[in-house]
Amino acid sequence: MDRLTSLIVFGRVVECGGFSAAARRLNMSTTMVSNHVQALEDRLDVRLLNRTTRKVSLTEIGQAYYQRSSQILADLDEADRIARALQATPQGKLRLHSSMSVVRFLAPIISEFVDLYPTVSVDLTVGERMVDMVEEGFDLAMRSLPLPDSSLIVRRLTSWRNIVCGSPAYFERHGTPLHPGDLVRYNCMRHASYPFGDEWRFEGPDGEPAFVRISGNLITNSQETLRRLAIDGRGLFIPPPFIVADDLSSGRLIRVLENYSGVEFAINAIYPHRHHVSAKVRSFIDLLAERFADHRRWMEMTY
Protein backbone atom coordinates (compact mmCIF):
# COMPACT_ATOMS: atom_id res chain seq x y z
CA MET A 1 0.00 0.00 0.00
CA ASP A 2 1.03 3.62 -0.44
CA ARG A 3 3.08 4.51 2.63
CA LEU A 4 2.01 8.16 2.73
CA THR A 5 -1.67 7.23 2.56
CA SER A 6 -1.16 4.71 5.33
CA LEU A 7 0.45 7.42 7.51
CA ILE A 8 -2.53 9.72 6.91
CA VAL A 9 -5.00 6.91 7.74
CA PHE A 10 -3.10 6.01 10.92
CA GLY A 11 -3.20 9.63 12.06
CA ARG A 12 -6.93 9.87 11.45
CA VAL A 13 -7.58 6.69 13.45
CA VAL A 14 -5.70 8.19 16.40
CA GLU A 15 -7.42 11.58 16.11
CA CYS A 16 -10.91 10.09 15.67
CA GLY A 17 -10.44 7.43 18.36
CA GLY A 18 -11.44 4.49 16.20
CA PHE A 19 -11.51 2.82 12.80
CA SER A 20 -15.16 3.51 11.98
CA ALA A 21 -14.95 7.23 12.72
CA ALA A 22 -11.73 7.50 10.71
CA ALA A 23 -13.35 5.65 7.83
CA ARG A 24 -16.22 8.14 7.78
CA ARG A 25 -13.78 11.09 7.89
CA LEU A 26 -11.69 9.64 5.05
CA ASN A 27 -14.65 8.36 3.01
CA MET A 28 -13.15 4.85 3.09
CA SER A 29 -14.45 1.49 4.20
CA THR A 30 -13.54 0.38 7.71
CA THR A 31 -11.79 -2.63 6.22
CA MET A 32 -9.59 -0.41 4.06
CA VAL A 33 -8.68 1.73 7.10
CA SER A 34 -7.75 -1.38 9.03
CA ASN A 35 -5.68 -2.68 6.12
CA HIS A 36 -3.65 0.56 5.98
CA VAL A 37 -2.84 0.44 9.69
CA GLN A 38 -2.00 -3.24 9.45
CA ALA A 39 0.33 -2.52 6.52
CA LEU A 40 2.25 0.02 8.62
CA GLU A 41 2.55 -2.39 11.53
CA ASP A 42 3.69 -5.22 9.25
CA ARG A 43 6.28 -3.00 7.60
CA LEU A 44 7.66 -1.81 10.95
CA ASP A 45 7.16 -5.19 12.65
CA VAL A 46 5.66 -3.42 15.67
CA ARG A 47 2.20 -2.91 17.20
CA LEU A 48 1.12 0.73 16.95
CA LEU A 49 -2.41 0.43 18.34
CA ASN A 50 -4.08 -1.55 21.07
CA ARG A 51 -7.48 -2.61 19.80
CA THR A 52 -10.49 -3.52 21.90
CA THR A 53 -14.13 -3.88 20.95
CA ARG A 54 -14.82 -0.44 22.39
CA LYS A 55 -11.81 1.70 21.44
CA VAL A 56 -8.26 1.86 20.16
CA SER A 57 -5.29 3.36 21.99
CA LEU A 58 -1.68 3.99 21.15
CA THR A 59 1.07 1.70 22.31
CA GLU A 60 4.25 3.31 23.61
CA ILE A 61 5.88 2.81 20.23
CA GLY A 62 2.69 3.98 18.55
CA GLN A 63 2.77 7.19 20.58
CA ALA A 64 6.32 8.00 19.48
CA TYR A 65 5.52 7.04 15.88
CA TYR A 66 2.35 9.17 15.85
CA GLN A 67 4.15 12.27 17.14
CA ARG A 68 6.89 12.00 14.54
CA SER A 69 4.63 11.08 11.63
CA SER A 70 2.24 13.96 12.51
CA GLN A 71 5.16 16.37 12.21
CA ILE A 72 6.16 14.86 8.88
CA LEU A 73 2.61 15.25 7.54
CA ALA A 74 2.46 18.84 8.83
CA ASP A 75 5.77 19.57 7.06
CA LEU A 76 4.38 18.09 3.84
CA ASP A 77 1.27 20.25 4.14
CA GLU A 78 3.47 23.31 4.63
CA ALA A 79 5.58 22.35 1.59
CA ASP A 80 2.39 22.04 -0.48
CA ARG A 81 1.22 25.43 0.77
CA ILE A 82 4.53 27.06 -0.16
CA ALA A 83 4.51 25.46 -3.62
CA ARG A 84 0.96 26.65 -4.29
CA ALA A 85 1.85 30.15 -3.09
CA LEU A 86 4.90 30.27 -5.38
CA GLN A 87 2.74 29.17 -8.29
CA ALA A 88 0.03 31.71 -7.53
CA THR A 89 2.19 34.79 -6.88
CA PRO A 90 5.42 35.75 -8.68
CA GLN A 91 8.34 35.45 -6.27
CA GLY A 92 11.86 34.07 -6.08
CA LYS A 93 14.71 34.48 -8.57
CA LEU A 94 13.97 34.79 -12.30
CA ARG A 95 17.01 33.73 -14.36
CA LEU A 96 17.04 35.31 -17.83
CA HIS A 97 19.37 35.04 -20.81
CA SER A 98 19.20 37.61 -23.60
CA SER A 99 21.04 38.49 -26.77
CA MET A 100 22.65 41.93 -26.69
CA SER A 101 20.37 43.49 -29.29
CA VAL A 102 17.27 42.82 -27.17
CA VAL A 103 18.60 44.35 -23.94
CA ARG A 104 17.52 47.89 -24.85
CA PHE A 105 13.90 46.68 -24.82
CA LEU A 106 14.34 44.26 -21.93
CA ALA A 107 15.85 46.65 -19.37
CA PRO A 108 12.77 48.89 -18.90
CA ILE A 109 10.52 45.81 -18.79
CA ILE A 110 12.64 44.30 -16.02
CA SER A 111 12.44 47.60 -14.13
CA GLU A 112 8.66 47.60 -14.40
CA PHE A 113 8.44 43.92 -13.45
CA VAL A 114 10.38 44.26 -10.19
CA ASP A 115 8.22 47.26 -9.30
CA LEU A 116 5.11 45.17 -9.85
CA TYR A 117 6.48 42.15 -7.99
CA PRO A 118 8.94 43.23 -5.27
CA THR A 119 9.36 39.63 -4.07
CA VAL A 120 11.02 38.70 -7.40
CA SER A 121 14.72 39.21 -8.11
CA VAL A 122 16.14 39.04 -11.64
CA ASP A 123 19.41 37.42 -12.69
CA LEU A 124 20.13 38.55 -16.27
CA THR A 125 22.95 37.14 -18.42
CA VAL A 126 23.68 38.72 -21.81
CA GLY A 127 25.37 36.86 -24.65
CA GLU A 128 24.95 35.66 -28.21
CA ARG A 129 25.22 31.89 -27.72
CA MET A 130 22.11 29.75 -27.35
CA VAL A 131 22.33 28.38 -23.81
CA ASP A 132 21.18 24.96 -22.64
CA MET A 133 18.30 26.27 -20.57
CA VAL A 134 17.64 23.12 -18.55
CA GLU A 135 21.30 22.26 -17.92
CA GLU A 136 22.24 25.85 -17.01
CA GLY A 137 19.12 26.60 -15.01
CA PHE A 138 17.62 29.49 -17.00
CA ASP A 139 13.89 30.18 -16.67
CA LEU A 140 13.60 32.20 -19.88
CA ALA A 141 15.69 33.25 -22.87
CA MET A 142 15.19 36.14 -25.29
CA ARG A 143 16.45 35.26 -28.76
CA SER A 144 16.07 36.32 -32.35
CA LEU A 145 17.86 33.38 -34.00
CA PRO A 146 16.33 30.06 -35.08
CA LEU A 147 16.26 27.45 -32.32
CA PRO A 148 18.38 24.31 -32.50
CA ASP A 149 16.24 22.55 -29.85
CA SER A 150 12.67 22.02 -31.02
CA SER A 151 11.56 20.81 -27.58
CA LEU A 152 11.70 24.36 -26.21
CA ILE A 153 8.52 26.44 -26.05
CA VAL A 154 8.59 29.64 -28.13
CA ARG A 155 6.35 32.67 -27.78
CA ARG A 156 6.82 35.20 -30.56
CA LEU A 157 6.85 38.74 -29.24
CA THR A 158 7.42 40.78 -32.38
CA SER A 159 9.05 40.56 -35.79
CA TRP A 160 11.13 42.75 -38.07
CA ARG A 161 12.96 42.77 -41.41
CA ASN A 162 16.58 43.88 -41.71
CA ILE A 163 17.48 46.90 -43.82
CA VAL A 164 20.65 47.86 -45.70
CA CYS A 165 22.28 51.12 -44.70
CA GLY A 166 25.51 53.09 -44.82
CA SER A 167 26.78 56.63 -44.29
CA PRO A 168 26.13 59.54 -46.68
CA ALA A 169 29.92 59.88 -47.18
CA TYR A 170 30.22 56.24 -48.22
CA PHE A 171 27.52 56.59 -50.86
CA GLU A 172 29.10 59.81 -52.12
CA ARG A 173 32.32 57.89 -52.79
CA HIS A 174 30.84 54.64 -54.10
CA GLY A 175 27.38 55.47 -55.42
CA THR A 176 24.03 54.09 -54.32
CA PRO A 177 23.02 50.45 -54.98
CA LEU A 178 19.68 50.09 -56.74
CA HIS A 179 19.36 46.30 -56.73
CA PRO A 180 20.64 43.63 -54.32
CA GLY A 181 22.90 42.36 -57.06
CA ASP A 182 24.77 45.67 -56.95
CA LEU A 183 26.03 44.85 -53.45
CA VAL A 184 28.82 42.67 -54.87
CA ARG A 185 30.69 45.92 -55.59
CA TYR A 186 30.44 47.21 -52.01
CA ASN A 187 32.24 46.48 -48.76
CA CYS A 188 29.47 44.63 -46.90
CA MET A 189 30.26 44.13 -43.23
CA ARG A 190 28.54 41.08 -41.75
CA HIS A 191 27.20 40.10 -38.36
CA ALA A 192 28.57 36.69 -37.37
CA SER A 193 25.13 35.43 -36.28
CA TYR A 194 23.38 36.29 -39.55
CA PRO A 195 21.86 32.86 -40.26
CA PHE A 196 22.56 32.84 -44.02
CA GLY A 197 26.26 33.59 -43.75
CA ASP A 198 27.58 35.77 -46.56
CA GLU A 199 24.40 35.39 -48.61
CA TRP A 200 22.16 38.37 -47.91
CA ARG A 201 18.53 37.55 -48.66
CA PHE A 202 15.70 39.89 -49.64
CA GLU A 203 12.15 39.98 -50.92
CA GLY A 204 11.51 42.22 -53.88
CA PRO A 205 8.51 44.52 -54.49
CA ASP A 206 6.63 41.63 -56.08
CA GLY A 207 7.46 39.26 -53.24
CA GLU A 208 10.06 37.38 -55.25
CA PRO A 209 13.21 36.34 -53.34
CA ALA A 210 16.53 37.92 -54.22
CA PHE A 211 19.85 36.54 -52.99
CA VAL A 212 23.32 38.05 -53.27
CA ARG A 213 26.67 36.72 -52.07
CA ILE A 214 28.44 39.63 -50.43
CA SER A 215 32.01 40.16 -49.31
CA GLY A 216 33.60 42.59 -46.89
CA ASN A 217 36.52 43.22 -44.59
CA LEU A 218 34.68 42.71 -41.26
CA ILE A 219 32.75 39.92 -39.56
CA THR A 220 31.77 40.47 -35.93
CA ASN A 221 29.14 39.47 -33.40
CA SER A 222 28.79 43.10 -32.28
CA GLN A 223 26.01 45.15 -33.84
CA GLU A 224 27.45 48.23 -32.16
CA THR A 225 30.80 47.74 -33.94
CA LEU A 226 29.06 47.38 -37.29
CA ARG A 227 26.99 50.47 -36.60
CA ARG A 228 30.00 52.55 -35.59
CA LEU A 229 32.06 51.55 -38.64
CA ALA A 230 29.12 52.17 -40.96
CA ILE A 231 28.70 55.68 -39.52
CA ASP A 232 32.44 56.19 -40.09
CA GLY A 233 31.93 55.38 -43.78
CA ARG A 234 33.70 51.99 -43.79
CA GLY A 235 30.99 50.03 -45.56
CA LEU A 236 27.39 48.78 -45.54
CA PHE A 237 25.62 46.52 -43.09
CA ILE A 238 22.19 44.97 -42.70
CA PRO A 239 20.87 45.64 -39.18
CA PRO A 240 17.43 45.39 -37.62
CA PRO A 241 15.80 48.82 -37.94
CA PHE A 242 15.64 49.32 -34.16
CA ILE A 243 19.45 49.19 -33.96
CA VAL A 244 19.80 52.25 -36.23
CA ALA A 245 16.53 54.11 -35.69
CA ASP A 246 18.21 57.20 -34.19
CA ASP A 247 20.98 57.20 -36.82
CA LEU A 248 18.47 57.08 -39.65
CA SER A 249 16.42 59.89 -38.12
CA SER A 250 19.51 62.08 -37.69
CA GLY A 251 20.93 61.31 -41.13
CA ARG A 252 24.10 59.67 -39.81
CA LEU A 253 23.03 56.60 -41.78
CA ILE A 254 20.92 56.26 -44.93
CA ARG A 255 18.79 53.32 -45.89
CA VAL A 256 19.16 51.98 -49.42
CA LEU A 257 17.30 49.33 -51.43
CA GLU A 258 14.04 50.55 -49.91
CA ASN A 259 12.02 48.39 -52.31
CA TYR A 260 13.74 45.22 -51.08
CA SER A 261 12.96 43.99 -47.58
CA GLY A 262 15.11 41.55 -45.66
CA VAL A 263 13.76 38.18 -44.60
CA GLU A 264 11.59 38.20 -41.50
CA PHE A 265 13.11 37.63 -38.07
CA ALA A 266 11.41 37.56 -34.69
CA ILE A 267 12.21 38.26 -31.07
CA ASN A 268 11.07 35.24 -29.11
CA ALA A 269 10.59 34.39 -25.46
CA ILE A 270 11.82 30.83 -25.00
CA TYR A 271 11.24 28.57 -22.02
CA PRO A 272 11.63 24.86 -21.34
CA HIS A 273 8.15 23.71 -20.27
CA ARG A 274 4.60 24.29 -21.44
CA HIS A 275 2.87 22.84 -18.36
CA HIS A 276 3.04 24.16 -14.79
CA VAL A 277 4.89 27.32 -15.78
CA SER A 278 5.77 29.19 -12.60
CA ALA A 279 3.97 32.43 -11.76
CA LYS A 280 7.17 34.49 -12.10
CA VAL A 281 7.82 33.17 -15.64
CA ARG A 282 4.20 33.38 -16.74
CA SER A 283 3.81 36.95 -15.45
CA PHE A 284 7.07 38.11 -17.02
CA ILE A 285 6.16 36.62 -20.42
CA ASP A 286 2.75 38.32 -20.29
CA LEU A 287 4.41 41.65 -19.53
CA LEU A 288 6.90 41.09 -22.36
CA ALA A 289 4.06 40.47 -24.80
CA GLU A 290 2.30 43.69 -23.77
CA ARG A 291 5.39 45.86 -23.97
CA PHE A 292 6.70 44.42 -27.22
CA ALA A 293 3.32 45.16 -28.75
CA ASP A 294 4.10 48.78 -27.83
CA HIS A 295 7.52 48.46 -29.54
CA ARG A 296 6.13 47.02 -32.77
CA ARG A 297 5.92 50.39 -34.46
CA TRP A 298 9.64 50.92 -33.84
CA MET A 299 10.46 47.40 -35.01
CA GLU A 300 8.71 47.99 -38.30
CA MET A 301 9.99 51.52 -38.97
CA THR A 302 10.82 52.42 -42.53
CA TYR A 303 12.75 55.46 -43.65
Side-chain angles (χ1 to χ4, degrees):
M1 288 187 169
D2 179 71
R3 187 178 176 188
L4 179 59
T5 302
S6 295
L7 280 177
I8 294 170
V9 170
F10 169 66
R12 291 292 181 272
V13 171
V14 174
E15 292 159 8
C16 295
F19 288 85
S20 297
R24 289 192 295 273
R25 174 82 66 85
L26 294 166
N27 196 27
M28 284 184 179
S29 68
T30 303
T31 300
M32 181 60 71
V33 169
S34 179
N35 288 343
H36 273 291
V37 174
Q38 187 66 54
L40 276 181
E41 292 181 326
D42 291 346
R43 183 180 183 280
L44 297 169
D45 196 24
V46 299
R47 178 171 291 279
L48 297 172
L49 296 171
N50 292 314
R51 303 162 175 84
T52 70
T53 56
R54 304 179 69 176
K55 66 175 184 176
V56 297
S57 61
L58 288 165
T59 65
E60 183 179 0
I61 295 174
Q63 179 67 41
Y65 192 74
Y66 171 70
Q67 290 176 351
R68 185 61 180 143
S69 61
S70 296
Q71 183 59 53
I72 290 170
L73 292 173
D75 289 343
L76 284 173
D77 286 341
E78 177 65 9
D80 288 347
R81 187 195 67 74
I82 292 171
R84 284 191 291 268
L86 287 171
Q87 183 68 359
T89 304
Q91 53 188 295
K93 180 183 290 186
L94 179 66
R95 293 201 66 214
L96 303 177
H97 192 279
S98 173
S99 57
M100 181 64 72
S101 61
V102 181
V103 170
R104 66 165 63 191
F105 302 108
L106 198 53
I109 297 172
I110 291 174
S111 178
E112 181 180 2
F113 186 70
V114 295
D115 276 345
L116 288 170
Y117 305 106
T119 55
V120 176
S121 63
V122 177
D123 181 345
L124 172 65
T125 301
V126 178
E128 298 307 317
R129 70 184 180 93
M130 184 58 215
V131 295
D132 185 325
M133 297 188 64
V134 175
E135 183 70 22
E136 299 180 51
F138 285 102
D139 297 303
L140 190 67
M142 302 289 295
R143 307 294 298 177
S144 58
L145 297 177
L147 296 181
D149 185 351
S150 60
S151 68
L152 297 172
I153 310 304
V154 179
R155 180 165 177 178
R156 174 176 284 212
L157 299 172
T158 192
S159 60
W160 81 87
R161 293 177 181 269
N162 286 0
I163 60 176
V164 179
C165 56
S167 71
Y170 187 83
F171 294 125
E172 286 178 11
R173 295 195 305 271
H174 299 280
T176 302
L178 301 177
H179 183 274
D182 297 339
L183 294 175
V184 297
R185 302 194 302 270
Y186 293 79
N187 184 41
C188 295
M189 303 178 294
R190 180 165 68 82
H191 196 280
S193 297
Y194 185 73
F196 309 114
D198 59 2
E199 183 178 80
W200 284 3
R201 298 187 179 185
F202 303 90
E203 289 182 11
D206 54 1
E208 289 298 313
F211 306 150
V212 58
R213 191 163 295 278
I214 54 89
S215 61
N217 62 4
L218 177 68
I219 299 175
T220 177
N221 65 352
S222 168
Q223 288 281 12
E224 180 57 27
T225 298
L226 292 169
R227 172 184 165 273
R228 187 67 259 172
L229 291 176
I231 290 172
D232 290 345
R234 301 301 181 183
L236 308 185
F237 78 131
I238 185 170
F242 54 84
I243 294 294
V244 293
D246 294 340
D247 302 313
L248 294 171
S249 295
S250 67
R252 288 188 296 267
L253 291 174
I254 296 174
R255 181 186 178 185
V256 294
L257 302 176
E258 292 91 341
N259 292 328
Y260 294 87
S261 58
V263 296
E264 186 176 80
F265 294 99
I267 292 178
N268 300 307
I270 304 161
Y271 52 103
H273 307 292
R274 186 182 301 276
H275 300 293
H276 305 303
V277 178
S278 67
K280 62 185 177 183
V281 173
R282 184 177 61 250
S283 299
F284 191 72
I285 291 174
D286 289 343
L287 184 60
L288 285 172
E290 290 179 20
R291 295 300 168 259
F292 271 89
D294 298 337
H295 291 316
R296 193 160 293 131
R297 181 193 62 82
W298 197 17
M299 293 285 185
E300 299 171 352
M301 290 176 85
T302 57
Y303 296 84

